[in-house]
């Protein structure tokens, strides 16, 4: 119950970024701000923003319990553009207990931290370490698609205008046309 | 005796002549004179200043600065001569300060302090003075005039009428400001020297105010409109607040419609521990939340308590996060669970109050809400919270945006 307790005071919590799975899957570049052990880590999104935390809503299509001593859940959550890979382990007891009680398929909202794994074959895999997972309704999913679309378009509008954004263009050679099409296709799946 | 202060003063005097003084060197010289040779602080400061003036071939550094400044145009770091009226005096916070108050001229007003060591005759409220060679410092983000040993003060026969300019709360800047506002909230003082703390509002917004205990200071009356002159606008962590200790406030027979509170929307991304069903301390006026052992941080173990509902959570717009504090009526309406139902659930469940926390969390977390409430410290006290509705007009707009560009 206190797995994700936070300090109040001058500390300001970072906003959770809204990002479609197709974009998050392309993320490779991750970095740490500061040198201390507890310094926040970020994944640089191809459309040009750093993400320490993401908020996503989609359809839980599959969940699997893994491990014996260190039990954890692996889950797949589909959005209009693809699939998110979610992990909830013993360091995220809230999320683990929540996902245990949700049976796929179901709309779920996830708050979590993205991380990039470099696989032995050289490919990178992006997964989200969930802090919380709750079952939600279709309206919440639709609202999220609009939210993610708006945030992605906002990022594309600012592309190349600040340090993170320029860096993203340099690393990912971001083509705004592809991401605009992704947003359009995602929106087109909702009913007008 | 604060050597750092002396170093600041000396280096500012040098800097005002366009030279870059070595602060380390000034400090070393001062320490040598004061600590090693037992020279009196005033004398040491004068000696070091003269030494440096010679070194930089500055002739009359302590001489009168001839260019008179308007109070409204003073900037921190300046070495100035002004003519102004003492519009307010307040009890100095420390014996090192002989007098503290506010000086004004038709262009504006500034806070001032007279250091005890300055040895200048006391200023009287309501009188005009010519003040030569004072330093403009910065205190809590606002300019402050420092009157020290090098400053000369002479009474002035000036008597221009000063009409303070009333500003909207949203236009206030650090420094001294005048406003017309309504007292809309009174909060629990967090310090024994505090006379009153609360919230003032006008058509443009709200601002926190504090009045410290001082002779003759009266608290403001709730729901009354005041004209407030010479309030000190401070900045704390990017947020402005008013200190009315040295201000004048006059009650007005008028009404102001306060633009209160903020509307924030986003996803509820976090429900903090301590949300759900809580027990409150029954001691009159306390109301603090009891810990699991029915322990009140002030009144210790309590045998009785009052049940209450609340949610402490984080609303996240994608670009900004807000700490929400949601009280019982709003929690009941958001979750559809009444206090009675929550108590019954807790009392008949092996997990007790945790069960209520889990139920409520699963009902609201990850959902989009639009909340209205008043901001206090770094929290939004939510008065109204409704689920955000899915609107296809937004979908149409976004489709155009995504498809509209090449």
């Amino acid at each position: 119950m206190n797995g994700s307790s936070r300090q109040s005071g001058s500390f300001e919590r970072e906003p959770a970024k809204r990002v479609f799975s197709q974009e998050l899957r392309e993320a490779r570049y991750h970095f740490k701000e500061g040198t201390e052990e507890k310094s926040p880590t970020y994944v640089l999104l191809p459309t040009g923003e750093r993400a320490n935390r993401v908020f996503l809503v989609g359809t839980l299509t599959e969940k699997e319990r893994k491990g014996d001593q260190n039990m954890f859940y692996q889950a797949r959550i589909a959005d209009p553009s693809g699939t998110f890979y979610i992990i909830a382990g013993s360091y995220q007891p809230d999320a683990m207990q929540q996902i245990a009680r949700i049976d796929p398929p179901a709309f779920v909202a996830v708050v979590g931290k993205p991380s990039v794994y470099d696989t032995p074959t050289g490919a990178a895999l992006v997964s989200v370490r969930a802090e919380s997972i709750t079952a939600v309704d279709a309206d919440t999913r639709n609202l999220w698609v609009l939210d993610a679309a708006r945030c992605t378009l906002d990022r594309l509008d600012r592309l190349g205008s600040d340090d993170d954004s320029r860096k993203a263009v340099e690393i990912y050679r971001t083509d705004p046309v592809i991401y605009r099409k992704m947003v359009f296709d995602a929106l087109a799946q909702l009913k007008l | 005796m604060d050597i750092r202060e002396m170093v600041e003063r000396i280096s500012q005097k040098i800097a005002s002549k366009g030279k870059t003084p070595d602060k380390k060197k000034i400090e070393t010289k001062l320490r040598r004179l004061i600590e090693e040779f037992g020279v009196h602080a005033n004398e040491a400061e004068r000696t070091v200043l003269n030494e440096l003036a010679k070194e930089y071939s500055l002739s009359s550094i302590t001489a009168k600065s001839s260019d008179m400044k308007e109070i409204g145009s003073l900037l921190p770091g300046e070495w100035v001569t002004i003519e102004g009226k003492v519009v307010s005096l307040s009890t100095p916070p420390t014996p090192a300060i002989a007098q503290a108050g506010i000086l004004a001229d038709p262009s504006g007003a500034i806070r001032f302090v007279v250091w005890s060591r300055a040895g200048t005759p006391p200023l009287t409220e309501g009188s005009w003075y010519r003040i030569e060679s004072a330093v403009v410092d910065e205190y809590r983000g606002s300019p402050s005039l420092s009157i020290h040993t090098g400053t000369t003060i002479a009474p002035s026969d000036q008597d221009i009428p000063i009409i303070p300019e009333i500003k909207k709360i949203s236009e206030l800047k650090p420094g001294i400001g005048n406003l017309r506002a309504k007292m809309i909230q009174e909060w629990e003082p967090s310090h024994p020297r505090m006379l009153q703390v609360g919230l003032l509002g006008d058509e443009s917004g709200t601002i926190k105010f504090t009045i410290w205990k001082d002779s003759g200071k009266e608290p403001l009356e709730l729901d009354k409109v005041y004209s407030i002159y010479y309030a000190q606008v401070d900045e704390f962590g990017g947020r402005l607040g008013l200190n009315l200790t040295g201000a004048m406030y006059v009650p007005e027979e008028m009404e102001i419609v306060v633009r209160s509170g903020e509307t924030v929307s986003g996803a509820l991304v976090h429900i903090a521990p301590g949300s759900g069903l809580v027990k409150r301390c029954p001691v009159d006026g306390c109301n603090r939340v009891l810990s699991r052992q029915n322990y009140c941080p002030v009144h210790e173990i309590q045998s009785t308590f009052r049940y209450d509902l609340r949610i402490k959570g984080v609303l996240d717009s994608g670009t900004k996060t807000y700490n929400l504090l949601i009280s019982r009526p709003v929690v009941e309406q958001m979750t559809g669970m009444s206090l009675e139902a929550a108590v019954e659930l807790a009392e008949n469940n092996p997990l007790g109050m945790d069960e209520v926390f889990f139920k409520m969390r699963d009902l609201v977390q990850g959902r989009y809400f639009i909340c209205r409430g008043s901001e206090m410290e770094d929290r939004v006290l939510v008065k109204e919270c409704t689920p955000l509705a899915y609107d296809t007009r937004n979908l149409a707009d976004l489709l155009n945006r995504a498809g509209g560009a090449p």
Side-chain angles (χ1 to χ4, degrees), chain A residues 84-138:
Chain A
F84 292 105
Y85 302 96
I86 306 291
I87 291 172
S90 45
Y91 287 111
Q92 298 89 30
D94 286 8
M96 203 162 77
Q97 285 155 24
Q98 284 176 306
I99 199 172
R101 284 181 283 129
I102 305 172
D103 289 318
F107 289 127
V108 291
V110 175
V111 179
K113 305 222 169 191
S115 46
V116 179
Y117 298 95
D118 299 304
T119 61
T121 57
L125 184 73
V126 185
S127 67
V128 175
R129 218 161 250 286
E131 292 172 342
S132 77
I133 305 176
T134 32
V136 296
D137 55 9

Side-chain angles (χ1 to χ4, degrees), chain A residues 6 13 16 18 147 157, chain B residues 316 321 323 365 368 378 401:
Chain A
R6 53 190 295 273
R13 180 181 168 115
R18 277 63 151 162
D147 197 13
D157 286 349
Chain B
D316 183 326
T321 58
N323 293 321
Q365 191 174 53
Y368 286 90
D378 58 350
R401 241 186 103 186

Side-chain angles (χ1 to χ4, degrees), chain A residues 27-42:
Chain A
R28 295 281 172 278
Y29 184 76
H30 53 112
F31 60 100
K32 205 168 187 169
E33 182 89 337
T35 49
E36 278 160 57
E37 200 198 328
K38 293 262 182 175
S39 301
T41 55
Y42 296 91

Side-chain angles (χ1 to χ4, degrees), chain B residues 1-46:
Chain B
M1 171 182 59
D2 187 346
I3 291 194
R4 237 175 316 156
E5 223 164 67
M6 296 164 63
V7 173
E8 260 327 290
R9 267 202 303 271
I10 294 175
S11 48
Q12 264 166 2
K13 282 190 196 183
I14 303 282
S16 71
K17 298 286 175 189
K19 307 279 177 189
T20 321
D22 180 354
K23 289 192 185 176
K24 200 91 218 143
K25 198 165 108 191
I26 298 174
E27 192 180 336
T28 317
K29 281 179 192 278
L30 282 172
R31 283 200 189 283
R32 185 144 183 271
L33 286 172
I34 295 167
E35 287 162 10
E36 233 177 286
F37 291 94
V39 175
H40 189 260
N42 288 348
E43 179 58 23
E45 189 176 346
R46 206 191 61 86

